[in-house]
Amino acid sequence: MTPVMLAPSVQATAYRPVSQDQALRDLIEVQLEPGRSTVIDFSHVQERIVFVNLADPSRTVFTSNAPIESGLATTLFVTPIEALAFPGLTTNAVTTLQVQTITPGGDLRLYTFNVGQSGRAAPHAGIIITAAPEPTQPSLNPAPPIDLSPQLIAQGLTAAIAQGLTSDDDPIVDAVQTVLAKVDAGQSLRDAARAQGVDVEILEALAALGQEQRQFDNVEIQVQKI
């Protein structure tokens, strides 16, 4: 069967890569964990941070790897704190963090993040903004699309745990289960995965494993009938 590399998820998926195009187009979810800082890094696209706006500073603070006013900052470190009371300030469990950067060519870009907090472990240690990949020539024999049905993903997750490809206490297991629960409640798979910080590639690998497991089970049934 095709191996699914889930066991070392804490290291392999410690930093969630988000393409520059997606980060500029979408609201990017950032999940904070108590007592830990979450990174937002623009160094891979060679952009420097020139302005930061945090809508609700009563429960979240940020620092940077260089003073913002210096024009040298490339990375933010966002940290949850105990709630503070600011007169007249409205608060929200999910607040917005707006970051304006400047490119090497002098263009300004604006990114917006949804920053939320919970008592659970965050799925990633941070976000790395990456450059858009170079366009590739279409394959003459493209692979068939993977069926990302929740049933196959759930079956693949069960198979991955049973085969020792990951452990049931791995944070990615809980994150995938939360995605499936949100899909069952009516949310789209991709929106649910984005909210939990689960890469679609992981869901595709689990669905492929679920499909292999289903075929294997069908073969066993046929053998038993013979």
Side-chain angles (χ1 to χ4, degrees):
M1 292 187 176
T2 303
V4 181
M5 301 302 293
L6 291 180
S9 63
V10 175
Q11 293 80 18
T13 61
Y15 294 95
R16 173 190 171 198
V18 176
S19 73
Q20 196 175 50
D21 290 343
Q22 180 186 354
L24 290 168
R25 182 181 65 248
D26 300 335
L27 277 171
I28 304 301
E29 303 290 336
V30 177
Q31 188 65 42
L32 302 184
E33 178 180 346
R36 297 176 68 93
S37 291
T38 295
V39 172
I40 303 177
D41 182 23
F42 297 90
S43 63
H44 287 245
V45 290
Q46 300 181 354
E47 294 181 12
R48 301 188 184 278
I49 302 166
V50 295
F51 181 76
V52 180
N53 177 60
L54 180 63
D56 179 6
S58 68
R59 62 185 71 194
T60 306
V61 296
F62 67 87
T63 57
S64 54
N65 62 332
I68 301 297
E69 58 272 16
S70 72
L72 299 176
T74 59
T75 307
L76 292 181
F77 305 87
V78 187
T79 308
I81 60 174
E82 292 187 3
L84 302 175
F86 292 99
L89 178 72
T90 59
T91 64
N92 198 311
V94 179
T95 190
T96 52
L97 173 68
Q98 284 131 345
V99 183
Q100 191 169 51
T101 66
I102 188 168
T103 69
D107 295 324
L108 292 175
R109 289 178 173 165
L110 182 63
Y111 300 85
T112 302
F113 303 88
N114 266 344
V115 179
Q117 298 185 26
S118 71
R120 300 188 308 173
H124 298 89
I127 290 174
I128 294 177
I129 306 301
T130 61
E134 293 293 329
T136 57
Q137 294 295 328
S139 173
L140 295 178
N141 297 300
I146 297 175
D147 180 9
L148 285 178
S149 70
Q151 295 79 11
L152 283 180
I153 294 172
Q155 191 167 0
L157 184 62
T158 300
I161 295 172
Q163 296 172 26
L165 299 173
T166 189
S167 59
D168 55 7
D169 59 352
D170 192 311
I172 195 63
V173 173
D174 182 63
V176 171
Q177 290 172 336
T178 302
V179 169
L180 295 175
K182 288 187 174 183
V183 171
D184 189 55
Q187 191 171 10
S188 74
L189 179 66
R190 293 188 181 275
D191 287 346
R194 184 162 51 245
Q196 293 301 122
V198 176
D199 294 332
V200 175
E201 288 81 2
I202 292 178
L203 300 180
E204 290 176 344
L206 288 173
L209 182 60
Q211 182 64 44
E212 289 185 2
Q213 184 64 43
R214 180 174 294 181
Q215 293 172 350
F216 179 76
D217 292 342
N218 290 338
V219 170
E220 280 197 332
I221 292 173
Q222 294 300 323
V223 171
Q224 290 173 1
K225 288 181 178 179
I226 295 174

